[in-house]
Amino acid sequence: MLTNVALKALKPNDKRYKKADSGGLFIFVEANGSKLWRFAYRHEGKAKLLSGGRYPQTTLAAARAWRDKMKHQLALGLDPSEERRKELAIAAVPAGSKFEEVAREWLEARLLSWVPKYASRIVTRLETDVFPAVGDKDIAEITPREMLDIFRKIQARGSFETAHRIKNYCSEVFRYAIPDGRCDSDPCRDLSPAMAKKKPVRHRSKIAAKDLPDFFVKFNADTGERLSHLALRWTIMTMVRTSETRFAEFEEFENMGGADPMWRISPERMKMRAEHLVPLSHQAVELFNEIWELNIYRQAGNMRLGRYLFPVPISKSLVISENRMLDIMYRLGLRGKATVHGFRGLASTVLNESGLFEPDWIEMQLAHQPQGVRGAYNSATYLKHRRPMLQWWADYLDAAEARGMAQGPLVMAGTPQR
């Protein structure tokens, strides 16, 4: 990957040459000394190239942000070259004032901060429930009553929480149009009291701490595939979401033979779009080593599959399915009683009730983004506290498993320093 120091050091040759950064981004160094950003990609089987400005006017950070935006468009099935042509066409005419036009501007402005799946969901909801009703209306003429009728129709289907979410999306669209004078107010602002209340949040079913020993007894007796067992153990021990386990890649791990092993999950793979660091206990390192040894694809040099910790060649995603770990739970008699995601709640409960760890450390490890000013954090926050906390959690799990297998008392010792 390129650095600012390396970019400044690039000197012209008789012929232009290129230096790659990552993800299709590279820079051309022209014979006259000009340095030009380019993004290489494939769309519908065709190789394409897109220009991204001149260095240093376009910085390395700006070029990477531009590349990420292009990759988001590709993930949504869009051609970045075509999208650029559309942007230039839109810039040549006055901004639209119809609700759908403004909404699509707002979507484009937010696209970079959303994962493709989430963005697609919002687009579908607006196209299904909102655009048919008010999409062709001037955004300044839409009344609170018109918007309330839309949301009540959604609630009539029993989709109470969806109605509130769509109200929030629409509210953002109206507020997006206020600064440039396309509308004067947000007609959704005062509608919540006139809408049915959201259904109470149902937390994922989870195993109680007292039942962990029995869980491990049944888990160890299960005859399922070893790699699936390792995936479940890994998810429980590292407190991550199932998707973060499923798509884990070996290149995300650092210092695995050293004193401070680390799993660095990229922003693109995280729900909150921020890098997440997972300090690894010595038990997690042992699991990692076993997972490495079981990866026959990596050993054979097949990096298409071998890059993943939990590869499955017959899967479209190339990794274990969402249900592989859940199937183990079902076989253990936990259908309707506990989910894989519920282990995150269990970890939170146990760590909070221990009295040894600050709530912020726990929330950070769960990758829950704080609200307000505290939401602006970096991935390393509380890292020196979270490392001993995760080791304590791994030891707690070991003690629970030992108790289950030996039917002895559960004794946890050791208090990490704050």
Side-chain angles (χ1 to χ4, degrees):
M1 293 177 64
L2 294 172
T3 64
N4 284 312
V5 173
L7 284 167
K8 292 176 181 178
L10 292 176
K11 302 300 181 184
N13 290 334
D14 293 338
K15 296 182 179 180
R16 76 172 183 173
Y17 64 94
K18 68 179 183 179
K19 289 290 183 180
D21 183 56
S22 62
L25 179 67
F26 65 91
I27 195 163
F28 269 132
V29 181
E30 302 286 352
N32 63 5
S34 296
K35 300 172 184 178
L36 309 173
W37 290 111
R38 295 292 186 269
F39 173 63
Y41 68 97
R42 298 188 72 85
H43 181 72
E44 295 182 347
K46 296 181 180 179
K48 296 191 175 186
L49 198 64
L50 203 58
S51 61
R54 186 185 303 270
Y55 179 85
Q57 289 85 355
T58 301
T59 65
L60 176 58
R64 286 174 175 169
W66 167 72
R67 172 205 61 195
D68 290 343
K69 179 180 178 181
M70 300 303 101
K71 293 182 75 172
H72 272 282
Q73 291 177 348
L74 286 168
L76 290 170
L78 304 174
D79 182 349
S81 296
E82 183 62 28
E83 294 306 303
R84 172 174 285 185
R85 282 192 288 271
K86 290 179 182 178
E87 289 175 3
L88 292 174
I90 291 172
V93 298
S97 59
K98 292 182 179 180
F99 181 86
E100 182 173 348
E101 293 172 335
V102 178
R104 293 197 183 277
E105 281 184 42
W106 169 75
L107 286 165
E108 180 67 24
R110 299 292 185 271
L111 188 63
L112 188 59
S113 63
W114 292 336
V115 296
K117 185 177 180 180
Y118 180 68
S120 178
R121 185 184 305 134
I122 294 176
V123 171
T124 298
R125 286 172 173 171
L126 290 174
E127 290 178 341
T128 301
D129 293 306
V130 182
F131 293 166
V134 296
D136 288 335
K137 293 203 65 171
D138 189 307
I139 194 168
E141 297 177 358
I142 298 173
T143 66
R145 182 69 210 191
E146 287 176 301
M147 299 308 298
L148 181 60
D149 287 342
I150 293 171
F151 306 141
R152 283 182 170 172
K153 285 180 180 178
I154 299 170
Q155 290 183 331
R157 306 196 302 256
S159 302
F160 297 97
E161 189 167 349
T162 298
H164 282 271
R165 287 177 178 172
I166 294 178
K167 179 188 75 68
N168 292 338
Y169 303 151
C170 292
S171 184
E172 286 200 38
V173 172
F174 285 110
R175 285 185 279 131
Y176 174 83
I178 291 174
D180 63 6
R182 284 184 280 180
C183 71
D184 298 321
S185 62
D186 170 18
C188 300
R189 184 186 59 192
D190 300 319
L191 295 184
S192 291
M195 297 170 62
K197 292 184 178 179
K198 296 180 183 180
K199 290 184 177 180
V201 176
R202 283 189 63 191
H203 295 286
R204 305 291 181 92
S205 300
K206 65 187 181 196
I207 293 172
K210 65 181 179 62
D211 295 325
L212 264 179
D214 183 58
F215 164 78
F216 280 115
V217 170
K218 295 177 180 177
F219 185 31
N220 285 315
D222 184 69
T223 57
E225 184 185 28
R226 179 59 180 168
L227 203 61
S228 298
H229 283 195
L230 289 171
L232 181 54
R233 282 186 178 274
W234 181 267
T235 303
I236 296 170
M237 189 173 295
T238 56
M239 296 169 56
V240 298
R241 300 177 178 89
T242 54
S243 62
E244 291 148 16
T245 289
R246 291 175 57 224
F247 291 96
E249 298 189 27
F250 286 103
E251 69 175 15
E252 296 173 345
F253 293 84
E254 305 171 358
N255 200 30
M256 296 306 288
D260 298 314
M262 183 75 67
W263 181 16
R264 187 183 297 271
I265 310 177
S266 67
E268 293 77 16
R269 294 219 302 114
M270 295 302 300
K271 182 178 180 181
M272 299 311 298
R273 308 296 294 154
E275 182 181 62
H276 184 49
L277 299 185
V278 183
L280 299 175
S281 62
H282 69 79
Q283 292 95 327
V285 173
E286 290 174 3
L287 287 181
F288 178 88
N289 291 336
E290 183 177 355
I291 293 165
W292 176 284
E293 292 174 0
L294 289 175
N295 195 308
I296 58 175
Y297 306 103
R298 192 175 189 86
Q299 295 171 15
N302 179 356
M303 297 310 296
R304 178 171 176 266
L305 291 164
R307 73 179 193 265
Y308 295 112
L309 270 65
F310 304 103
V312 176
I314 60 174
S315 168
K316 289 184 179 180
S317 65
L318 303 182
V319 297
I320 59 173
S321 70
E322 297 180 11
N323 295 325
R324 186 73 70 92
M325 288 178 272
L326 191 59
D327 286 342
I328 297 175
M329 305 288 285
Y330 289 170
R331 290 199 300 271
L332 303 188
L334 295 170
R335 184 188 293 269
K337 299 178 182 178
T339 65
V340 178
H341 192 91
F343 282 106
R344 285 164 53 82
L346 173 62
S348 177
T349 298
V350 170
L351 293 171
N352 275 295
E353 290 182 351
S354 74
L356 303 173
F357 312 103
E358 295 294 335
D360 281 352
W361 308 351
I362 300 167
E363 292 301 299
M364 183 64 66
Q365 194 54 56
L366 291 168
H368 289 162
Q369 185 168 351
Q371 298 297 315
V373 176
R374 292 170 62 241
Y377 64 86
N378 65 67
S379 59
T381 304
Y382 307 128
L383 189 57
K384 70 176 182 179
H385 303 297
R386 291 190 283 133
R387 183 172 291 282
M389 182 179 76
L390 275 178
Q391 184 60 59
W392 187 94
W393 171 239
D395 292 341
Y396 181 94
L397 293 171
D398 276 357
E401 185 166 5
R403 180 189 175 192
M405 302 307 291
Q407 298 301 310
L410 176 60
V411 178
M412 289 303 300
T415 301
Q417 295 183 355
R418 300 196 178 194

